[in-house]
Amino acid sequence: MLSGNSLHLFSGSTKYGVSVDRNVNANPTVVADFNHLPFYPNTFDAVLADPPYADHWQKQWGGDLPQPKQILRAASRVVRRGGLIGILHIIVIPCYKEFNIERVAIHPILCGPNNVLRAFNVYRKL
Ligand SMILES: C[S@@+](CC[C@H](N)C(=O)[O-])C[C@H]1O[C@@H](n2cnc3c(N)ncnc32)[C@H](O)[C@@H]1O
């Protein structure tokens, strides 16, 4: 899914593609809020997002918990037509038609032994 022209949202300190995080100490490529991405529309071949998905985690990073629909809106704006979006979350995120996307897959991800499953939501921009 990922190539050299990939965007990694909520990257933390992970180095993969163009990384974006609002925490300057994570040393991402770009320090920005996911809701105010400084990129033109249709820029990336793929967008990967690993957002916080629970209030008790978000507390350590501050601000409001990123909403799945807002993440999908932000990702679908900057991915190119035909490009893929992958979002790891605890929910199956609806395929909002207003973002001009289609669902490609929902992969169950086990993040550790005796842990709950996450859903890796995959979409393609039409
Ligand atoms: C679930 S962690 C991701 C961790 C990273 N993928 C890793 O494996 O280390 C969430 C990250 O999202 C960032 N974050 C939280 N809210 C954000 C926002 N509104 N915009 C951009 N980044 C945000 C935090 O700073 C934190 O680094």
Side-chain angles (χ1 to χ4, degrees):
M1 166 180 175
L2 292 162
S3 70
N5 187 30
S6 295
L7 177 66
H8 186 185
L9 300 176
F10 309 97
S11 63
S13 53
T14 307
K15 298 298 166 220
Y16 209 67
V18 175
S19 54
V20 172
D21 199 287
R22 73 174 180 192
N23 178 6
V24 67
N25 295 321
N27 197 26
T29 314
V30 176
V31 177
D33 189 284
F34 82 95
N35 242 340
H36 299 94
L37 295 176
F39 306 113
Y40 290 113
N42 306 307
T43 296
F44 295 97
D45 293 335
V47 178
L48 175 69
D50 178 18
Y53 33 63
D55 283 325
H56 59 273
W57 290 116
Q58 183 62 18
K59 273 184 199 152
Q60 64 181 293
W61 295 302
D64 295 331
L65 188 65
Q67 296 304 303
K69 185 173 184 179
Q70 293 178 331
I71 298 167
L72 201 44
R73 178 186 288 116
S76 62
R77 185 183 72 82
V78 297
V79 76
R80 66 167 170 78
R81 291 182 186 85
L84 295 174
I85 300 167
I87 306 176
L88 185 67
H89 212 278
I90 53 173
I91 67 164
V92 171
I93 302 169
C95 183
Y96 298 98
K97 296 302 176 198
E98 66 208 79
F99 300 152
N100 205 26
I101 54 174
E102 64 178 356
R103 189 185 297 285
V104 174
I106 306 165
H107 296 290
I109 304 288
L110 185 60
C111 296
N114 300 319
N115 210 328
V116 292
L117 289 171
R118 269 70 167 173
F120 187 59
N121 297 264
V122 185
Y123 310 86
R124 182 182 293 108
K125 185 165 175 179
L126 299 171

